[in-house]
Amino acid sequence: MRGENRTSVSEFILVGLSSQPRMQRLLFAAILATYLATLAGNLLIVGLVRADSCLHTPMYFFLSHLSFLEICYTSWTVPQALAHLLTHTKSIPFAHCAAQMYLALSLGSSEAILLAAMAYDRFVAVCRPLRYAALMGRSRCWALALSSWASGFLLSVVNVACVLRLPFCGPNRVNHFFCELPVVLELACADRRLTEAVVFGAAVLILLLPLAVILASYGLILASVLQGQVAAGRHKAFSTCASHLAVVTIFYGTVISMYMRPRSGTTPDWDKHIAVFYNVVTPALNLLIYTLRNKEVKGAMAKLMYRAGWAKKS
C-alpha cells in the first residue's frame, strides 16, 4: 500500500486545440492577435492607473489588480498553447504540468475573490457614499487586494495536493492545450471520488462564496435604486456597476461550467472551447468592457496620447 501513490508518468502529452495544419495556423493567428492585444491593453491600464492622479481611486486600484491578474493568467497558459500549434512535440514534464495546474488555478481563484472585493467597493460607493472615504481607504483597499491574492494561492494548494497524491501510471495524453486540473485528474489510475469531492468543495468555497458576496452587494444596490435612495450624484458610481456585472457574468459563467458541472457526459472538445473562452476571449472582453464604457479611462488615454504628441488637445 505504501507504493500506491507512486507516479510512473514522467511527462504528459498535450493534444492541443487541433490536429489539422490549416486550422492550427488559423488558431495561431487569432489567438496570438488576441493575446497581444490583451497584454498591451492590460499593461496600458496598469500604467494609466499608476500615472494619472484622476484614477487614484479604489475602483481603479482594483481594476489595475484585475488587469495584472489577467496578464499573469494568460501569459502562463497562452504562449505554450501558441508554441504547440506550431510544433509536433507537445510534451510537458510532470513537474511543469503540476506547476501549471497550481498557478493557473491560483490566479483564477484570486480573480474570483477580487471580483467580490470590487463588488463590495461598488456597494459602498452607491449605498454608503458619506462613509466611502473611510470604509475604502488605502489600507483597506490593499488589505482586500492582498487577501484576494493570498486566498487564491493558499486555497489552491489543497486542490493540487489532492490531485498530485494520486498515481499517474498511464495513459499520459492530456486532451487539452494546457494542464488544467479537472482534465489531468481524469488520467489518475486510482479511485478519484474523494479527490473529486475535495475539488468540488473547494470550488464551492472559491467560486460560490465570492459570487454570493457579489449577488448580495448588487442586490442591495438594486434595492437602493428601486427605493429611490440613490441621489443624482451617485448615478455615476451606479453606472460603473454595469461594467462589473458584465465581467462577473462572463467569468463566473465559464469557470463554473468547467469546475462545478458533473464530469460525466462532458466532451474534451467542449472543455477546450470553454477553456479558450476564459483564457483568451474573456480577458479581451474584460478589457473592452472596462475601457469602452469608461470615460475616465478613455480620458486618461487621451491625455497620454496628447502628452506623447499623438493627438491634438480638444
Side-chain angles (χ1 to χ4, degrees):
M1 295 296 289
R2 290 182 179 179
E4 189 179 12
N5 63 348
R6 289 179 183 171
T7 296
S8 60
V9 171
S10 61
E11 66 177 14
F12 290 105
I13 306 298
L14 295 171
V15 173
L17 292 168
S18 176
S19 59
Q20 301 176 8
R22 187 171 182 274
M23 180 58 69
Q24 287 178 340
R25 291 192 292 270
L26 290 173
L27 286 171
F28 179 85
I31 293 175
L32 177 62
T34 306
Y35 171 65
L36 291 177
T38 301
L39 189 64
N42 280 304
L43 284 171
L44 178 63
I45 286 180
V46 173
L48 286 174
V49 172
R50 289 181 60 87
D52 196 314
S53 59
C54 294
L55 302 182
H56 291 176
T57 64
M59 186 181 79
Y60 294 109
F61 171 83
F62 290 124
L63 179 58
S64 68
H65 276 265
L66 180 64
S67 293
F68 186 65
L69 265 171
E70 299 282 26
I71 292 169
C72 294
Y73 188 77
T74 56
S75 296
W76 188 243
T77 57
V78 174
Q80 175 189 266
L82 290 170
H84 285 178
L85 285 170
L86 299 179
T87 60
H88 295 291
T89 303
K90 301 179 181 181
S91 61
I92 179 172
F94 185 90
H96 189 177
C97 182
Q100 191 174 66
M101 268 197 303
Y102 174 67
L103 282 177
L105 185 62
S106 298
L107 292 167
S109 301
S110 298
E111 181 170 344
I113 300 169
L114 182 65
L115 289 173
M118 295 174 73
Y120 173 74
D121 169 67
R122 293 299 81 203
F123 160 72
V124 177
V126 175
C127 300
R128 302 288 187 272
L130 298 180
R131 301 187 60 198
Y132 184 67
L135 292 174
M136 299 302 298
R138 183 178 178 83
S139 59
R140 176 67 62 84
C141 290
W142 271 108
L144 288 171
L146 293 178
S147 296
S148 300
W149 283 87
S151 299
F153 276 76
L154 289 174
L155 290 170
S156 297
V157 170
V158 178
N159 272 339
V160 177
C162 286
V163 173
L164 295 181
R165 63 178 288 275
L166 295 174
F168 291 88
C169 45
N172 68 337
R173 290 175 62 84
V174 180
N175 198 349
H176 212 49
F177 61 93
F178 75 101
C179 287
E180 189 157 27
L181 188 145
V183 182
V184 175
L185 177 57
E186 293 180 355
L187 299 180
C189 49
D191 190 345
R192 305 190 303 263
R193 286 176 295 181
L194 177 59
T195 302
E196 289 173 344
V198 171
V199 171
F200 183 84
V204 170
L205 187 64
I206 295 170
L207 293 175
L208 295 191
L209 283 183
L211 182 59
V213 172
I214 293 169
L215 294 177
S217 297
Y218 282 107
L220 292 170
I221 289 172
L222 182 61
S224 296
V225 172
L226 294 177
Q227 293 172 10
Q229 297 176 4
V230 177
R234 280 182 274 168
H235 278 295
K236 180 181 176 181
F238 176 68
S239 66
T240 62
C241 296
S243 298
H244 186 248
L245 270 176
V247 171
V248 166
T249 302
I250 294 169
F251 175 81
Y252 276 95
T254 54
V255 174
I256 287 176
S257 69
M258 182 68 178
Y259 281 86
M260 298 199 68
R261 77 177 193 273
R263 301 302 300 172
S264 58
T266 63
T267 63
D269 286 341
W270 175 254
D271 287 342
K272 285 189 280 190
H273 293 158
I274 292 293
V276 167
F277 201 86
Y278 60 72
N279 276 271
V280 180
V281 179
T282 299
L285 289 177
N286 291 353
L287 182 65
L288 291 174
I289 289 168
Y290 276 117
T291 54
L292 294 182
R293 292 183 54 86
N294 196 298
K295 293 181 180 180
E296 285 82 3
V297 172
K298 288 190 287 187
M301 290 175 63
K303 286 192 287 184
L304 178 65
M305 293 173 65
Y306 173 74
R307 290 171 186 168
W310 296 342
K312 294 182 179 181
K313 189 173 183 180
S314 57

